[in-house]
């Protein structure tokens, strides 16, 4: 199941970032070796009760006039309407109800998306409730009083948010067609890739049941099997500001990646691999999705016998946090090697859903430990008692150890490589969780 997406919208200085940081708290999963993902966090995982969702901060407005505030708020609201399952509309009890709040509320109301109205900076519920009631005038439901800075009322707010999540309807569960998100920077050829794959096939464009996003899904039949391609290229909004465009494309990418099994990261061969590519790749990596790196416009490159080798090394270097990704060199213009995409997608999905018996895992573990001793610190050595696979998509393993402090990233990577030597896990990340056990508990 893809996680629901919740977006926060509101005027400058109403406390959006405070709420965002407060809800993410320590739960924000910082993947240490993913470049660009954590510096400018636009999104984060939040768990409330037993529900997990992706929280999106739609953007900071730095305006110099009322008109710009309104146009930027509309832009934010549009992003939220396009990508989110639930919208949190944030206002400020101290500033009261402002004209631009009413205009944005109209837009949100017309979208028919669930909106939760929250009124921030209510640090004294008894005293300020009359001011909160004023926000009923927006006509988008009951205002929820909160104080993000004092962490008041947040539980009630989250209870309200998760009420609007789509029921775990079976529609998505039963849809076992492979879902592929085509991601990448603007103008690298994402749409041309999908158009070329469609070729002469009559296309059924459908929004898959159970999703409320406006990303257009294209169903392509290949060898009598349906594949659903999710296109993130639809940047319809003309934004003058590069940061806005970049932020918007990242939000679109998060929404698409959330729903896919495999992400195809399209890179422009004529530009080479860039920091922005790494940022976009990081989203798929953090979400534990299968990844294919498709180097497009390969027909436009002057080549010698070393070109592919050099380009591959550059990719591995820039995207060093995802050594598992499959790399292919394609041309959306000529159709070169495009048929191989389907084979790769099928293979990656097989690997994402592969389960390894515990007995076999522990044989690999015993051998790995015998070949290379676990790290030690101040005379105490890491012991790994046993490991077991707990889930798929991505394959996730729990290692029971004597002391979590001793588990070193490089040793975990070594164990991962040993497992990959035996089972491949092509194109998919694998996750490791360390749990402490005392010997007497075993």
């Amino acid at each position: 199941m893809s996680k629901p997406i919740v977006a926060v919208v509101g005027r400058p200085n109403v406390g959006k970032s405070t709420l965002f940081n407060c809800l993410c708290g320590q739960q924000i999963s910082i993947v240490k070796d993913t470049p660009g993902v954590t510096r400018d966090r636009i999104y984060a995982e939040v768990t409330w009760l037993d529900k997990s969702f992706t929280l999106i901060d739609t953007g900071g407005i730095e305006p110099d006039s009322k008109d710009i505030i309104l146009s930027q708020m509309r832009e934010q609201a549009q992003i939220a309407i396009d990508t989110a399952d639930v919208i949190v509309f944030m206002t400020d009890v101290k500033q009261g109800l402002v004209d631009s709040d009413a205009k944005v509320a109209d837009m949100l109301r017309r979208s028919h998306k669930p909106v939760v109205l929250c009124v921030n900076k209510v640090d004294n519920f008894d005293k300020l409730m009359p001011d909160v009631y004023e926000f009923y005038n927006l006509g988008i439901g009951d205002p929820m009083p909160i104080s993000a800075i004092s962490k008041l009322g947040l539980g009630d707010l989250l209870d309200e948010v998760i009420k609007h999540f789509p029921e775990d309807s079976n529609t998505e569960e039963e849809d076992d067609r492979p879902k592929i998100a085509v991601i990448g920077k603007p103008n690298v050829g994402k749409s041309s890739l999908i158009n070329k794959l469609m070729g002469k096939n009559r296309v059924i464009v459908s929004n898959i049941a159970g999703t409320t996003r406006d990303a257009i899904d294209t169903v392509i039949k290949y060898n009598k099997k349906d594949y659903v391609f999710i296109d993130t290229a639809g940047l319809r909004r003309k934004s003058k500001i590069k940061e806005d465009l970049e932020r918007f494309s990242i939000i679109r990418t998060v929404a698409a990646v959330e729903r896919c099994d495999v992400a195809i990261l399209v890179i422009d061969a004529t530009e080479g691999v860039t920091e922005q590519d790494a940022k976009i790749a990081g989203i798929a990596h953090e979400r534990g999705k299968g990844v294919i790196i498709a180097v497009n416009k390969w027909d436009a490159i002057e080549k010698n016998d070393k070109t592919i080798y050099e380009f591959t090394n550059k990719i591995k270097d820039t995207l060093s946090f995802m050594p598992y990704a499959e790399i292919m060199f394609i041309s959306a213009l000529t159709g070169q090697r495009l048929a191989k995409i389907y084979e790769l997608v099928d293979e990656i999905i097989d690997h994402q859903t592969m389960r390894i018996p515990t007995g076999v895992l522990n044989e690999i573990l015993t051998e790995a430990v015998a070949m290379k001793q676990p790290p030690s610190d101040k005379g105490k050595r890491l012991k790994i008692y046993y490991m077991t696979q707990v889930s798929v998509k991505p394959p996730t393993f729990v290692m029971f150890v004597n002391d979590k402090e001793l588990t070193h990233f490089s040793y975990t990577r070594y164990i991962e490589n040993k497992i990959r030597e035996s089972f491949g896990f092509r194109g998919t990340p694998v996750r490791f969780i360390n749990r402490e056990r005392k010997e007497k508990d075993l």
Side-chain angles (χ1 to χ4, degrees), residues 32-208:
K32 293 207 177 39
D33 52 343
T34 311
V37 171
T38 51
R39 272 200 305 280
D40 39 8
R41 305 197 312 249
I42 296 177
Y43 60 93
E45 292 285 290
V46 178
T47 304
W48 178 247
L49 306 176
D50 55 347
K51 299 264 195 292
S52 285
F53 59 90
T54 300
L55 183 68
I56 287 185
D57 182 359
T58 53
I61 306 173
E62 297 295 333
D64 46 16
S65 78
K66 283 208 164 63
D67 301 345
I68 294 183
I69 289 189
L70 183 57
S71 71
Q72 290 254 18
M73 272 183 74
R74 285 195 161 136
E75 177 96 351
Q76 282 186 9
Q78 192 57 55
I79 293 176
I81 289 165
D82 285 353
T83 51
D85 295 293
V86 181
I87 299 165
V88 173
F89 181 31
M90 196 166 193
T91 56
D92 172 351
V93 78
K94 300 279 196 304
Q95 294 175 28
L97 191 50
V98 184
D99 189 36
S100 54
D101 287 336
K103 292 195 165 120
V104 172
D106 283 344
M107 193 173 154
L108 294 174
R109 190 167 49 239
R110 284 196 299 273
S111 75
H112 301 299
K113 285 273 175 104
V115 178
V116 176
L117 171 61
C118 83
V119 184
N120 192 20
K121 306 189 187 171
V122 183
D123 33 32
N124 180 328
F125 280 28
D126 296 340
K127 206 165 84 198
L128 293 169
M129 272 328 264
D131 299 335
V132 171
Y133 294 141
E134 182 193 357
F135 289 87
Y136 271 107
N137 293 323
L138 289 173
I140 47 174
D142 301 342
M144 315 271 313
I146 67 161
S147 165
I149 206 154
S150 319
K151 299 190 169 47
L152 295 171
L154 299 185
D156 292 345
L157 175 67
L158 289 170
D159 285 346
E160 193 54 40
V161 166
I162 64 176
K163 265 187 211 158
H164 295 288
F165 288 171
E167 280 305 305
D168 294 341
S169 54
N170 298 325
T171 44
E172 266 191 61
E173 286 300 303
E174 285 163 12
D175 185 359
D176 52 6
R177 302 178 291 186
K179 292 179 203 56
I180 302 113
V182 180
I183 62 176
K185 294 181 308 194
N187 308 324
V188 289
K190 300 189 290 288
S191 296
S192 1
L193 170 64
I194 291 181
N195 293 339
K196 192 71 179 178
L197 287 169
M198 276 160 26
K200 305 279 177 291
N201 305 354
R202 191 175 64 78
V203 175
I204 315 147
V205 174
S206 63
N207 273 326
I208 294 178

Side-chain angles (χ1 to χ4, degrees), residues 183-190 265-266 268 271-272 274 276-277 280:
I183 62 176
K185 294 181 308 194
N187 308 324
V188 289
K190 300 189 290 288
L265 173 68
V266 183
D268 184 333
E271 277 185 28
T274 64
Q276 180 68 1
D277 293 320
I280 291 170

Side-chain angles (χ1 to χ4, degrees), residues 413-425:
R413 178 60 68 86
Y414 162 72
I415 300 282
E416 176 183 329
N417 290 338
K418 287 293 173 210
I419 292 174
R420 284 187 186 274
E421 277 168 29
S422 306
F423 295 100
F425 284 121

Side-chain angles (χ1 to χ4, degrees), residues 207-219:
N207 273 326
I208 294 178
T211 64
T212 47
R213 319 273 151 58
D214 74 340
I216 296 297
D217 297 334
T218 306
V219 180

Side-chain angles (χ1 to χ4, degrees), residues 8 15-24 55 88 90 118 120 146 148 154 157:
V8 185
K16 296 192 296 294
S17 308
T18 314
L19 177 70
F20 185 76
N21 294 334
C22 172
L23 292 182
C24 306
L55 183 68
V88 173
M90 196 166 193
C118 83
N120 192 20
I146 67 161
L154 299 185
L157 175 67

